[in-house]
Amino acid sequence: MKLRCAVLDDYQSVAATAADWSPVADDIDVVSFAEHCATEDELAARLAEFDMVVTLRERVPFPAALIGRLPRLRLIVASGMRNTSIDYAAAERHGVTVCGTASTATPPVELTWALLLGLARSIVTEANCLREGGPWQSTVGTDLHGRRLGILGLGKIGSRVAAVGRAFGMDVMAWSHNLTPERAEEAGAGFAASKEELLETSDFVSVHLVLSERTRGLLGARELGLMRPGSFLVNTSRAAIVDQEALLDVLHRGAIAGAGVDVFDTEPLPADHPMRSAPRLLATPHLGYVSQANYAAYYGDAVENIRAYLDGEPVRRLGR
């Protein structure tokens, strides 16, 4: 009898075509789910009859309690090579192998600039006015050239964002807990001695940090209050790095010019969530990693991981 593999949160129903599944077609039945499970009980019921799970990023937590409710589960494939939402110790106790996949930093870098440019030039407002017969030219765009771009986190993604900023003629400055002046210089950015200095002096602030206990709530009411009234905030990293209530407050008060957000405290975002109606907000439904090339890498490696597991030689193992 074939094993069963669940592909979770396949919102666009593209998992079957993003990769060639024929190498495992004789051994497993693949079932793709486009609807998100909002609770652990729903997820436990959905996965009860499955031996393998393919999940994207950190959309779906796999805590010890859930893993313990899935006695058939033997393999979890999570996209990317870092996932903090899986209890690896519990997986090992229950005999569940966890594997990752390749991923690329290019899509989130590109989306960061889509949001930043959309904010600076009021693209959505002007496009809607054009379609709906509104005013011809109702806003005055904010220039990038000569303005300061402050980057929180100068890793693989942040350093590429910095490179684009320099190409626009921006003054790029960066800060993170571990950043040194030497590393900043290597990436072509100035070094901010503190996050406060970066927030106070930047016209655009872009977040590119890993979520951890140090970065959770890093930008709260006090920090957002340091930003200039004409400045913009972009977060394509993790919602919890920015205090969501504090962000809503500064947007409603007009304390900053606007924010571009791709990540939220609850995903998918509930229909009545205040982020859906906040002023001065350009928001996208966590599209940072959603691209053809990334999906081909995710699902292509997922097939390889499943094949390797079936052959008794798992690859790209996580949590070891």
Side-chain angles (χ1 to χ4, degrees):
M1 188 173 71
K2 285 186 176 182
L3 300 176
R4 302 192 75 209
C5 176
V7 178
L8 298 179
D9 292 348
D10 184 15
Y11 298 139
Q12 303 97 341
S13 299
V14 297
T17 56
D20 177 13
W21 291 79
S22 62
V24 297
D26 292 338
D27 300 289
I28 66 170
D29 286 324
V30 179
V31 181
S32 177
F33 295 96
E35 305 81 15
H36 179 74
C37 285
T39 69
E40 184 178 299
D41 287 342
E42 292 174 353
L43 194 60
R46 173 171 288 181
L47 298 179
E49 302 301 319
F50 286 91
D51 308 278
M52 304 174 177
V53 173
V54 176
T55 182
L56 283 177
R57 307 304 295 170
E58 296 169 329
R59 284 180 183 172
V60 179
F62 279 86
L66 175 60
I67 293 172
R69 297 172 68 178
L70 302 172
R72 280 189 57 168
L73 185 62
R74 288 294 173 265
L75 175 67
I76 299 173
V77 178
S79 61
M81 292 301 292
R82 179 193 292 122
N83 192 307
T84 61
S85 68
I86 298 172
D87 189 323
Y88 296 106
E92 185 173 2
R93 287 197 305 272
H94 290 276
V96 178
T97 300
V98 184
C99 299
T101 74
S103 64
T104 172
T106 301
V109 171
E110 293 174 352
L111 185 71
T112 294
W113 281 101
L115 290 173
L116 196 151
L117 287 165
L119 287 168
R121 302 305 295 269
S122 301
I123 297 297
V124 174
T125 297
E126 295 291 0
N128 287 341
C129 283
L130 186 71
R131 285 181 173 274
E132 297 165 5
W136 184 265
Q137 298 182 357
S138 62
T139 64
V140 178
T142 299
D143 297 286
L144 302 187
H145 186 87
R147 299 297 181 95
R148 172 164 288 178
L149 170 64
I151 299 177
L152 289 166
L154 201 59
K156 184 166 58 173
I157 295 175
S159 59
R160 296 188 186 188
V161 171
V164 178
R166 293 196 307 276
F168 274 113
M170 302 185 77
D171 172 27
V172 181
M173 176 175 281
W175 176 88
S176 71
H177 289 102
N178 297 324
L179 185 65
T180 64
E182 294 75 20
R183 172 69 188 99
E185 184 178 5
E186 289 175 4
F191 176 73
S194 66
K195 65 180 177 182
E196 288 79 9
E197 178 188 354
L198 182 137
L199 294 168
E200 290 172 340
T201 63
S202 295
D203 301 291
F204 298 85
V205 175
S206 193
V207 181
H208 302 288
L209 295 163
V210 174
L211 180 62
S212 68
E213 289 309 308
R214 274 201 308 186
T215 61
R216 186 179 297 275
L218 184 73
L219 300 186
R222 183 186 73 85
E223 290 78 14
L224 294 177
L226 298 174
M227 293 181 64
R228 299 174 176 180
S231 64
F232 298 88
L233 175 70
V234 176
N235 185 10
T236 58
S237 184
R238 289 291 182 270
I241 295 172
V242 181
D243 183 292
Q244 300 296 282
E245 292 300 322
L247 177 58
L248 284 168
D249 177 61
V250 296
L251 290 173
H252 279 282
R253 291 191 293 108
I256 63 174
V261 174
D262 186 49
V263 287
F264 305 92
D265 53 3
T266 302
E267 297 182 9
L269 204 60
D272 60 350
H273 196 287
M275 281 289 184
R276 287 188 179 267
S277 56
R280 304 176 182 86
L281 178 67
L282 176 56
T284 48
H286 206 155
L287 299 177
Y289 60 91
V290 180
S291 75
Q292 293 175 348
N294 242 9
Y295 271 21
Y298 290 167
Y299 292 118
D301 280 4
V303 174
E304 289 185 8
N305 289 344
I306 293 170
R307 183 69 266 165
Y309 174 82
L310 292 173
D311 293 339
E313 298 179 352
V315 295
R316 305 186 188 93
R317 297 190 68 171
L318 301 180
R320 302 189 71 190

